[in-house]
Amino acid sequence: MTLSIREIDEAIKEAPIGVFDSGVGGLTVAREIMRQMPNERIIYFGDTARVPYGSKSQNTIIRYSRQIIRFLRTKKVKAIVVACNTASAYALDTIETELDIPIIGVVKPGAKVAVDATNNGKIGVIGTEGTINSGIYSEFIHKRKKDITVVGKACPLFVPLVEENWIKDSVTDEVAKRYLSELKESGIDTLILGCTHYPLLRSTVRKMIGEDVTLVNPAYETALELKALLEEHDMINTSNQINDSSRYEFYVSDAADKFKQFANSILPYDIETTKLINIEDF
Ligand code: DGL
């Protein structure tokens, strides 16, 4: 069967968006895409067998990202969102040169919002060791505005605490206090939640850092940027789809039930299944 150009265009528009992270963190970005673009289909992959990414080398993160993209492409995605700051910092530059479909990360959108939000020119960034050591937030912030002080702090224990769903727990409060006290003293007026797991700890961070600091969650701006990118490529899905969770598919590399339970606690729709795949096969 040969498809007309119009049919091919429609098929591309109706294709899903691939979204990936090391685990549940990227769900904060997927949730925002669901809110802002309710017509879009999503294929989500959480690399739960290999989380955390934040303490791994750049070569490893590039290898993981390439495998995930190969898997997502088997699902015929029309665009990819790297819903992980660590992979955005370490792998995005490399993988975007290897792709013929649009791809975006979460760092640039987050840096943009923070520059717009700060009044005193002092921005804090919390993230994984990889993201903080890469210096990528400073780079993007200084590209937009030179005279800004950026104070970075790696908070590696936050990711396992979120993956364990210890979101409201005195242990997490204590860890947050240790990580954030220096930042609080530094006089920042804006703090970027520079890991997609961290918005899930928003109220803990808020409690420790105080009411006067603006918290930036790059997810909102990332979804906006994705929408603009899809519009630019004439790829927005305009078909009226059924308004339920059947538009969303979830895949993980381990612990599918635990992932599903977590996803159901934060997404607007209950997900029916989470499928397990062997990502090393890709
Ligand atoms: N959520 C990811 C990020 O934004 C990865 C966290 C991790 O696996 O260490 O960096």
Side-chain angles (χ1 to χ4, degrees):
M1 190 182 71
T2 326
L3 294 177
S4 68
I5 294 196
R6 196 170 163 275
E7 283 166 330
I8 294 172
D9 280 353
E10 285 312 308
I12 292 175
K13 286 180 187 175
E14 287 172 28
I17 296 160
V19 178
F20 76 89
D21 179 44
S22 61
V24 296
L27 290 171
T28 59
V29 180
R31 176 173 66 181
E32 206 45 57
I33 298 170
M34 291 172 187
R35 283 186 190 140
Q36 292 188 34
M37 283 167 278
N39 273 354
E40 297 297 340
R41 293 168 56 210
I42 294 175
I43 306 281
Y44 184 95
F45 177 74
D47 202 356
T48 44
R50 304 189 293 196
V51 64
Y53 278 11
S55 49
K56 298 196 168 73
S57 70
Q58 181 166 20
N59 280 346
T60 300
I61 300 304
I62 292 174
R63 184 169 74 81
Y64 288 178
S65 302
R66 282 187 176 133
Q67 286 178 319
I68 296 167
I69 286 169
R70 280 197 285 270
F71 162 68
L72 291 172
R73 297 218 67 175
T74 66
K75 302 286 168 194
K76 306 272 185 279
V77 295
K78 63 181 172 186
I80 291 175
V81 179
V82 183
C84 171
N85 287 263
T86 313
S88 300
Y90 273 167
L92 185 58
D93 272 359
T94 307
I95 53 185
E96 74 183 343
T97 62
E98 302 166 351
L99 278 177
D100 55 0
I101 55 171
I103 180 165
I104 60 164
V106 283
V107 172
K108 206 165 144 196
K112 176 178 177 284
V113 186
V115 170
D116 293 345
T118 185
N119 289 317
N120 73 0
K122 283 190 187 162
I123 297 175
V125 185
I126 52 174
T128 65
E129 284 165 297
T131 301
I132 299 302
N133 293 342
S134 75
I136 191 148
Y137 270 103
S138 299
E139 194 182 311
F140 277 118
I141 287 168
H142 290 135
K143 258 187 207 157
R144 292 189 80 83
K145 202 162 180 222
K146 292 229 161 358
D147 54 344
I148 287 196
T149 306
V150 182
V151 189
K153 175 79 187 164
C155 307
L157 291 174
F158 278 171
V159 169
L161 287 167
V162 170
E163 290 284 328
E164 267 315 298
N165 208 349
W166 286 20
I167 285 173
K168 296 216 171 355
D169 193 289
S170 56
V171 170
T172 309
D173 286 351
E174 188 53 40
V175 170
K177 199 160 135 196
R178 291 241 205 141
Y179 280 148
L180 302 178
S181 54
E182 245 174 74
L183 272 180
K184 195 171 153 71
E185 300 304 309
S186 69
I188 54 163
D189 72 350
T190 303
L191 177 63
I192 302 174
L193 306 176
C195 169
T196 51
H197 283 70
Y198 298 178
L200 298 163
L201 295 176
R202 192 185 182 97
S203 55
T204 309
V205 172
R206 165 63 71 216
K207 205 159 52 182
M208 298 303 160
I209 205 80
E211 292 297 327
D212 299 337
V213 174
T214 304
L215 298 183
V216 172
N217 169 8
Y220 180 81
E221 194 67 23
T222 302
L224 272 185
E225 198 168 292
L226 173 67
K227 196 171 179 192
L229 191 69
L230 295 180
E231 267 161 5
E232 189 190 312
H233 288 82
D234 195 19
M235 278 183 177
I236 292 276
N237 190 346
T238 45
S239 74
N240 269 331
Q241 306 215 6
I242 321 154
N243 214 15
D244 66 14
S245 65
S246 61
R247 280 163 303 152
Y248 309 128
E249 287 177 37
F250 298 85
Y251 296 85
V252 289
S253 47
D254 202 358
D257 285 342
K258 191 171 158 195
F259 178 92
K260 190 180 134 197
Q261 212 178 356
F262 194 101
N264 281 339
S265 71
I266 68 157
L267 293 178
Y269 301 100
D270 266 0
I271 62 176
E272 274 139 46
T273 46
T274 300
K275 292 179 197 136
L276 196 62
I277 58 152
N278 185 358
I279 195 65
E280 295 290 356
D281 288 346
F282 290 88

